[in-house]
Amino acid sequence: MKKQNIIIGCLGLLLLATVAGALFMRQSNSKRISELEAQIDTLRLNEKHSEVDRRVSKQMEEIAYGQQILSEERSREAIKQSEIAQEMTLRSEEERRKAIEARGIAEVSANEAMNAYQMAEQQRQEADVQRRQAEHAKLVADTLNYLSLGRTLGTQSYAIYQTGDKSLGNMLAYAAYLYTNNYGGDLYNPAVLQALTQSAGSRRNHAVHNGSIQCIGISPKDGQLLTVSTYGEIFTHKLKNGRLQTTRLMSDKHYCFRDAYVAPNGKGYSISHTGHLVITEKDQVRVLYLENFAKPFNLEYMNDGQQLLIIGENSVAMLNVANDKIVGTRHLGYKVLAAGRQDGKPLLFDNRGQMHLVKSLDDIGNQQVPFKGQVLAYASSRNEGLAAYGMADGTIWMTDRKGKSHKLVGHLSQITKLKFDGLRLYSSSYDGKLLFWNVNDSQIKPITMFQANSWLTDFTLSSDKNYIWTGEQNGVITEYLISMPKIVERLRQNVKRNFTQEEWSYYVGKGIPYRKLIIEN
């Protein structure tokens, strides 16, 4: 029984174990199945992913294949382009080689062209130089021809005017001016100048004194002239309506006047060789006697006109212009022959070849005259650095700013007066000539302003420098117009008609183009 129970128990246990095993197996199978299902699901998912990947891969393969095809096409295109580029390079190289050859040829051609151009330019320049030289030669020839014509017309004018045919003389003089002026000639050439001044009526004589005129002064106050003579005459003159009006202030043969000075206030001082100083103010005349003063002959102002230096042959005296009193005298150890002005101060010249600059009565210098001979006239120009010495033999010596000396020969007798006006020098002499010198020329030659009928003793320029007034030994005062514009203006007014064709051909020349002197508006 007991054994049966054990068997039954064992069978029960076995059944239980089998059931338990079956349950366990079932559970294990279920778990396994679950795991397999999970794996299957995972495989399915992976398969799906693999399918997607396969499709993507296939698409990528297709894309890669397309890219490969495209790359191959591009490669073939690149190869083709490379071939084309190589071909172009070969062509370019060929073109470059041809271009280099062409450039070389062009450079050679350019050089040849440049050489040809330079040769042509040189030939053109040479031709231009030759043309200019020819034109210049023709211009010079024409200029010289017309300048010569101007002088010839001037000579004809002067001669014809003297015969009484003033109309024709005026026309010839004006034609001489036109040809001389238009071609840059010298209007102060004697042949031209004499014709112009004659036809313009620029010289007018006034016989006013009985004795020899020794000085012509001009009043800075009103421009009136003051003249004195060796016959003791003191006259004043003024122009009114073209006529000279003369006022007699003094006429006494006991006096012999040698010089005169007009002060800025219009007061006149006249020095007589007899030792008398005559003071004139308007119509009043006062006489001051200089005691123990031998043969005074010259007056020079000092200190801006506040004092007047009276110069005698052996002495000098100082006059106070404010009260007309002698403030001092000084005896000189030499004989004074002439006086002038240098640097605004009186300069005395003696008979021993010395010159003396007077700064005051107590300060009188002493210096050797740079030229031999007796100096009887002197003038200087501080602005231009010029000085002129007029000698007894008619020679004029001039020094310039550089110290160079110039000998001016033109007068035949003693020089009586010298006057600078800028670079012009005027001179007068006992030979009756009034000469003009252009000291700016390389060769300083005299130009005769006019020839008087007697000795020229003095001259002065008008305040406006348009006129020169001269005094002569025969008592004649001459008014002489020297302003070229005014001379030409007056001459132009005197020309009343044009040349006829016959007159032009005869006097001017058939080969000279006809021109009118008067051009109507």
Side-chain angles (χ1 to χ4, degrees):
M1 183 61 171
K2 193 177 178 180
K3 187 179 180 178
Q4 184 182 2
N5 289 337
I6 294 169
I7 294 171
I8 293 169
C10 289
L11 290 172
L13 289 171
L14 181 63
L15 179 60
L16 181 62
T18 301
V19 173
L23 291 174
F24 177 77
M25 289 296 294
R26 182 180 179 184
Q27 184 177 1
S28 297
N29 289 334
S30 297
K31 184 177 181 180
R32 180 63 178 168
I33 291 170
S34 297
E35 289 177 355
L36 291 174
E37 288 178 351
Q39 290 178 358
I40 291 172
D41 291 337
T42 301
L43 289 174
R44 287 176 179 173
L45 181 61
N46 290 336
E47 185 179 2
K48 291 180 180 179
H49 289 169
S50 297
E51 182 66 21
V52 172
D53 291 339
R54 185 181 61 78
R55 291 179 180 178
V56 171
S57 177
K58 187 176 181 180
Q59 290 178 354
M60 292 299 293
E61 288 177 0
E62 292 176 353
I63 292 172
Y65 181 72
Q67 292 291 333
Q68 181 180 3
I69 295 174
L70 180 61
S71 176
E72 290 176 353
E73 290 179 355
R74 289 181 178 177
S75 178
R76 289 193 297 273
E77 182 68 22
I79 294 172
K80 184 178 180 181
Q81 291 294 330
S82 176
E83 292 174 351
I84 294 174
Q86 186 174 6
E87 183 180 356
M88 294 297 292
T89 300
L90 294 175
R91 290 182 182 178
S92 176
E93 185 66 24
E94 180 68 17
E95 292 296 330
R96 188 180 69 83
R97 184 182 63 77
K98 292 181 179 180
I100 292 174
E101 293 178 356
R103 184 179 66 180
I105 296 172
E107 288 178 353
V108 172
S109 300
N111 291 332
E112 293 177 353
M114 179 60 67
N115 293 333
Y117 170 77
Q118 291 176 349
M119 185 178 297
E121 181 66 16
Q122 183 178 0
Q123 293 175 352
R124 187 192 66 79
Q125 291 177 356
E126 291 176 356
D128 191 48
V129 170
Q130 293 176 356
R131 178 184 59 80
R132 288 198 301 268
Q133 289 177 347
E135 291 177 351
H136 179 69
K138 182 179 182 302
L139 180 62
V140 170
D142 290 344
T143 299
L144 295 176
N145 182 40
Y146 286 127
L147 292 179
S148 177
L149 176 61
R151 293 191 291 270
T152 301
L153 293 174
T155 302
Q156 291 179 337
S157 169
Y158 189 82
I160 290 176
Y161 194 96
Q162 293 290 325
T163 64
D165 192 350
K166 296 183 178 180
S167 176
L168 182 58
N170 291 339
M171 289 191 296
L172 290 172
Y174 192 53
Y177 159 75
L178 291 176
Y179 282 110
T180 303
N181 182 69
N182 292 349
Y183 288 90
D186 184 10
L187 293 174
Y188 289 94
N189 179 276
V192 178
L193 181 63
Q194 289 178 357
L196 297 182
T197 54
Q198 177 181 255
S199 294
S202 59
R203 175 181 175 181
R204 291 189 291 185
N205 297 331
H206 310 276
V208 292
H209 282 278
N210 293 319
S212 173
I213 298 174
Q214 294 297 302
C215 179
I216 299 179
I218 292 184
S219 172
K221 185 177 180 180
D222 53 15
Q224 284 195 121
L225 296 178
L226 175 68
T227 58
V228 298
S229 77
T230 54
Y231 275 29
E233 299 167 311
I234 303 176
F235 296 163
T236 59
H237 318 270
K238 64 179 178 179
L239 279 175
K240 188 174 183 179
N241 298 326
R243 303 189 64 176
L244 189 68
Q245 296 181 345
T246 300
T247 301
R248 185 188 302 267
L249 299 180
M250 185 177 184
S251 181
D252 189 338
K253 293 182 180 181
H254 293 92
Y255 297 98
C256 180
F257 293 112
R258 296 302 180 90
D259 197 15
Y261 168 74
V262 182
N265 59 6
K267 189 187 298 185
Y269 297 87
S270 304
I271 190 68
S272 173
H273 212 50
T274 59
H276 295 84
L277 179 67
V278 178
I279 305 169
T280 56
E281 188 173 8
K282 296 183 180 180
D283 296 334
Q284 298 179 357
V285 178
R286 292 184 291 123
V287 179
L288 177 66
Y289 178 64
L290 307 175
E291 297 182 3
N292 301 321
F293 200 94
K295 298 180 180 180
F297 68 94
N298 195 272
L299 299 173
E300 295 289 342
Y301 69 90
M302 296 188 65
N303 302 324
D304 298 329
Q306 297 178 8
Q307 293 178 316
L308 191 63
L309 184 69
I310 304 171
I311 304 169
E313 288 188 353
N314 303 106
S315 305
V316 290
M318 193 73 72
L319 178 77
N320 188 339
V321 175
N323 55 17
D324 295 332
K325 300 292 184 181
I326 298 294
V327 296
T329 60
R330 177 174 175 175
H331 180 74
L332 305 173
Y334 43 82
K335 182 179 180 180
V336 181
L337 300 179
R341 301 189 66 79
Q342 184 183 75
D343 297 331
K345 298 177 177 62
L347 184 65
L348 312 181
F349 295 88
D350 65 20
N351 60 339
R352 303 178 306 180
Q354 301 284 321
M355 55 186 182
H356 313 270
L357 186 65
V358 181
K359 298 180 181 179
S360 67
L361 290 181
D362 298 327
D363 187 0
I364 301 178
N366 184 31
Q367 189 178 356
Q368 184 71 31
V369 176
F371 308 102
K372 292 184 179 180
Q374 292 185 345
V375 178
L376 299 180
Y378 176 81
S380 65
S381 173
R382 181 187 303 179
N383 293 335
E384 303 298 338
L386 301 171
Y389 303 79
M391 315 304 286
D393 62 355
T395 302
I396 299 174
W397 286 98
M398 189 188 74
T399 59
D400 58 23
R401 192 183 301 276
K402 298 179 181 179
K404 185 179 179 180
S405 300
H406 306 266
K407 186 178 182 180
L408 310 183
V409 179
H411 288 292
L412 302 176
S413 300
Q414 171 185 324
I415 305 299
T416 57
K417 181 72 175 287
L418 295 171
K419 178 70 175 178
F420 278 105
D421 180 20
L423 293 174
R424 295 180 178 181
L425 175 64
Y426 296 94
S427 61
S428 62
S429 167
Y430 281 159
D431 61 8
K433 290 181 181 179
L434 178 67
L435 297 184
F436 159 75
W437 313 77
N438 187 355
V439 301
N440 196 35
D441 290 344
S442 57
Q443 294 183 347
I444 307 174
K445 296 182 179 180
I447 298 172
T448 303
M449 302 294 290
F450 74 90
Q451 174 73 55
N453 296 323
S454 65
W455 295 354
L456 280 182
T457 53
D458 193 26
F459 70 87
T460 188
L461 295 173
S462 63
S463 300
D464 56 10
K465 298 183 180 181
N466 289 330
Y467 295 88
I468 285 182
W469 293 90
T470 63
E472 300 178 25
Q473 183 268 342
N474 59 5
V476 174
I477 298 175
T478 302
E479 169 201 1
Y480 194 79
L481 178 65
I482 61 172
S483 169
M484 188 57 66
K486 289 186 175 295
I487 290 175
V488 174
E489 180 183 355
R490 187 179 293 181
L491 174 59
R492 187 182 293 112
Q493 293 174 354
N494 291 340
V495 176
K496 304 300 182 182
R497 65 179 180 88
N498 289 308
F499 285 105
T500 65
Q501 190 63 54
E502 291 74 17
E503 290 173 334
W504 183 272
S505 299
Y506 183 80
Y507 292 104
V508 182
K510 295 181 180 179
I512 307 299
Y514 180 85
R515 63 184 301 177
K516 291 184 177 181
L517 303 181
I518 302 175
I519 300 177
E520 299 178 356
N521 292 331

